[in-house]
Amino acid sequence: MTRLSQFLGATAIAALMAGTAGAQSITAGLAAAPSSMDPHFASTGQNQQLAAVMYDRLIHIAPDGSFAPGLATEWSVSEDRLTWTFTLREDVTFHDGSPFTAADVVFTFERIPEVPNSPAPFTPRLAAIDSAEAVDDHTLVITTSSPAPGLPTDLSTIYIVSQNVGDAESADFDRSSASIGTGPFRQVEYSPGERLVLERNPDYWGEVPDFERVTIRFLETSASRIASLQAGEVDFVDAVPPNDLERLEATEGVSVIAAPSARMVYMGLDQMEDTTVMIDPAVGNPFRDVRVREALSLAINREAIVDRIQFGSGLPANQFAPEGIFGHNPDIPALDYDPERARELLAEAGYGDGWAMTIHGPTGRYVNDVDVLLAVGQMWSQIGLDIEVENVPTNVYFGRATDREFSAFMVAFGITTGESSLALRNVLGTYDADRGWGANNRFRYSSDAFDAALAEAFEAFEDDAREAALQEAARIAAEEHAIIPIHWEGNNWAVRGDITFTPSPDGRSLVTNLSAN
């Protein structure tokens, strides 16, 4: 099915600048370091964009949002819609030279639930599976507990590892000893928070990368990335701040690439209990009142954030799926900026005198994230709240958020599969580990009406019915102010020399998208 159109299809033309053609190695400067090199440790973007170049998946997502063959060349579902048969690609080898077989897929499925301490587990992606059987080396049969039309979408996010890793722990992937995938690059060295060294897999079944060796440096601050690019210390950088675009475009030998994204930055508000960690227990938990959540939304000037902080890069958001993404609801209105009405709603809810709290966000994970969070804090202060702002290093932020150490916090979720179901299930579905819902619902929003609409979407094999159910779920979440959308990010990268970078629809900084001209 085709699920991406104009919004994501309008990617900018990749950069082509004069330089040294045919380079065998390059260095990239990325903003966000992974929390682990274990491809099953966390489904966060900074982890996945590295896993995606070292490991492969059964199903790929094509640029137009349709499903495409990956390690599986074809698949079908039985008439009762409970049994899926996958034909696997032959003559594929892992980085250690061992053959890829259906047994490796079964091993991967069994391993994922056993990975401890995950801040964003992959287990929800496997929740529909009742059993998986390797019929022979190249035939995999999956049985689901109920009809699961979303199974191909889920499998497009699961990275297959070799059964030879055995009982390896996440630390073994950090040490590179367990990093055995089938992807276009293999991991040869990793220093947490500092650098990752990759070497080309010449036996890759798909398109082999241009570069033999890629060194990735993790440069959290935008100033260090830009300075390293200008000094020629790195050839490619991501998360270029919009305010640096004009200067870089004027720099000889440097070219900028810009593209829209489907990653929405939002504020999560703890809604679980009558008290919350960052607010005086005597005040209680204001976020459980929908009027308070609406007030906090009305207090945010999204246009100003996009125009003044992001320099016009990105768009004000009102739901997870932007226009052009399957599941986008065109009837959800743009979110107003009305601080006077916000103060009225707080008074109606019994919080006319406001309250004091600290709000949290990551450092260097999103474009100008420190400034965005500061702006949100200032806007909330203007409606009578006593706000302190605290930014936390990315490599510890998500673990703390998952441990529910924050009351109001900034985070984002990017749609990488061309449709909204994963975002709605992972972020807004009522937290239920057994069901595989709410893995990223760190604020514990829960709505029976929302869950019912989303469940209907996950049971529908027909596109029209599935899309209508996803749109209904989005409508309910918007009316209940489940989260506070801020903006869809714009993506900006920069390259030096004779290098091309082609943005992919998911907005990730994939080093496989770098090539020599």
Side-chain angles (χ1 to χ4, degrees):
M1 83 182 58
T2 298
R3 293 171 293 197
L4 290 177
S5 58
Q6 184 174 359
F7 184 88
L8 288 179
T11 51
I13 303 230
L16 295 171
M17 295 295 295
T20 304
Q24 296 301 299
S25 64
I26 57 169
T27 300
L30 302 187
S35 53
S36 171
M37 291 308 298
D38 184 339
H40 304 146
F41 181 72
S43 60
T44 52
Q46 68 268 32
N47 287 35
Q48 291 193 66
Q49 71 180 3
L50 298 176
V53 303
M54 294 182 288
Y55 304 89
D56 224 323
R57 295 142 291 150
L58 293 178
I59 296 171
H60 288 183
I61 301 295
D64 67 355
S66 61
F67 297 126
L71 290 175
T73 57
E74 57 185 48
W75 52 94
S76 61
V77 63
S78 61
E79 288 187 11
D80 66 2
R81 298 182 173 181
L82 295 178
T83 303
W84 295 74
T85 302
F86 294 82
T87 301
L88 306 186
R89 194 176 295 276
E90 300 183 16
D91 300 324
V92 174
T93 58
F94 284 97
H95 297 152
D96 65 353
S98 61
F100 160 71
T101 70
D104 298 295
V105 182
V106 174
F107 170 81
T108 295
F109 290 175
E110 293 173 346
R111 178 181 188 273
I112 285 175
E114 303 301 320
V115 176
N117 304 316
S118 172
F122 282 89
T123 46
R125 319 289 174 90
L126 301 177
I129 297 177
D130 189 55
S131 66
E133 178 187 1
V135 175
D136 57 43
D137 282 352
H138 300 105
T139 306
L140 175 75
V141 173
I142 292 177
T143 302
T144 59
S145 53
S146 60
L151 183 65
T153 297
D154 286 330
L155 295 182
S156 74
T157 70
I158 299 298
Y159 304 102
I160 307 303
V161 301
S162 170
Q163 59 189 317
N164 290 343
V165 307
D167 59 356
E169 300 178 350
S170 294
D172 295 313
F173 287 85
D174 290 347
R175 288 188 284 266
S176 302
S177 59
S179 300
I180 307 174
T182 61
F185 283 104
R186 68 180 185 91
Q187 176 181 330
V188 295
E189 181 184 340
Y190 174 61
S191 300
E194 296 182 6
R195 73 172 192 159
L196 168 68
V197 180
L198 304 173
E199 286 186 354
R200 181 170 61 194
N201 173 13
D203 299 320
Y204 183 54
W205 62 267
E207 184 176 353
V208 177
D210 280 9
F211 301 103
E212 290 184 358
R213 189 178 182 92
V214 176
T215 299
I216 297 173
R217 294 175 56 195
F218 301 110
L219 305 172
E220 184 177 272
T221 67
S222 57
S224 63
R225 290 194 304 282
I226 300 306
S228 296
L229 182 74
Q230 291 179 314
E233 298 171 353
V234 300
D235 305 290
F236 166 80
V237 295
D238 68 353
V240 176
N243 45 304
D244 285 324
L245 293 176
E246 186 175 347
R247 177 162 57 93
L248 284 177
E249 287 172 340
T251 301
E252 185 177 358
V254 171
S255 187
V256 170
I257 305 96
S261 84
R263 181 163 72 178
M264 188 184 76
V265 178
Y266 64 92
M267 295 297 298
L269 305 174
D270 180 19
Q271 300 165 47
M272 184 172 181
E273 298 177 339
D274 291 334
T275 59
T276 182
V277 291
M278 290 293 161
I279 299 177
D280 187 336
V283 175
N285 184 354
F287 305 139
R288 287 172 63 86
D289 192 316
V290 67
R291 293 170 295 183
V292 171
R293 301 196 297 271
E294 182 180 0
L296 295 178
S297 178
L298 287 167
I300 295 178
N301 188 338
R302 295 166 177 82
E303 295 281 356
I305 288 175
V306 170
D307 290 343
R308 300 171 192 171
I309 296 177
Q310 306 294 18
F311 290 79
S313 178
L315 293 169
N318 63 348
Q319 59 186 295
F320 270 114
E323 183 179 359
I325 291 288
F326 188 86
H328 170 77
N329 187 331
D331 297 326
I332 296 176
L335 296 175
D336 294 332
Y337 171 55
D338 190 344
E340 181 177 350
R341 177 57 181 157
R343 286 187 286 268
E344 291 174 356
L345 284 170
L346 290 182
E348 290 176 14
Y351 297 99
D353 294 331
W355 63 84
M357 67 173 174
T358 300
I359 64 176
H360 292 82
T363 300
R365 177 64 189 100
Y366 313 120
V367 178
N368 290 336
D369 47 16
V370 173
D371 292 335
V372 171
L373 186 66
L374 182 61
V376 170
Q378 291 172 339
M379 291 170 186
W380 284 355
S381 296
Q382 291 170 1
I383 61 170
L385 306 187
D386 183 2
I387 300 292
E388 291 189 11
V389 175
E390 181 180 343
N391 287 88
V392 179
T394 297
N395 61 342
V396 298
Y397 177 76
F398 292 97
R400 291 186 61 188
T402 298
D403 290 340
R404 295 181 39 76
E405 296 183 19
F406 310 139
S407 291
F409 55 99
M410 187 173 77
V411 70
F413 194 97
I415 293 176
T416 60
T417 58
E419 50 107 319
S420 64
S421 64
L422 288 188
L424 298 180
R425 182 184 69 189
N426 282 20
V427 181
L428 299 179
T430 296
Y431 179 76
D432 185 336
D434 292 335
R435 189 183 189 187
W437 285 37
N440 299 82
N441 187 347
R442 302 174 174 99
F443 42 89
R444 297 304 192 260
Y445 163 76
S446 181
S447 166
D448 291 343
F450 174 87
D451 289 348
L454 189 58
E456 186 176 337
F458 278 104
E459 294 168 359
F461 275 81
E462 295 73 24
D463 286 358
D464 290 347
R466 182 173 170 81
E467 183 172 38
L470 290 174
Q471 291 174 337
E472 174 65 5
R475 182 196 64 77
I476 294 168
E479 289 188 356
E480 296 184 352
H481 301 278
I483 55 174
I484 300 181
I486 302 176
H487 63 283
W488 293 296
E489 282 194 327
N491 288 327
N492 303 296
W493 301 267
V495 294
R496 289 187 61 87
D498 193 15
I499 295 174
T500 298
F501 177 72
T502 304
S504 55
D506 58 26
R508 294 174 183 165
S509 300
L510 301 174
V511 295
T512 45
N513 289 5
L514 290 164
S515 58
N517 185 47

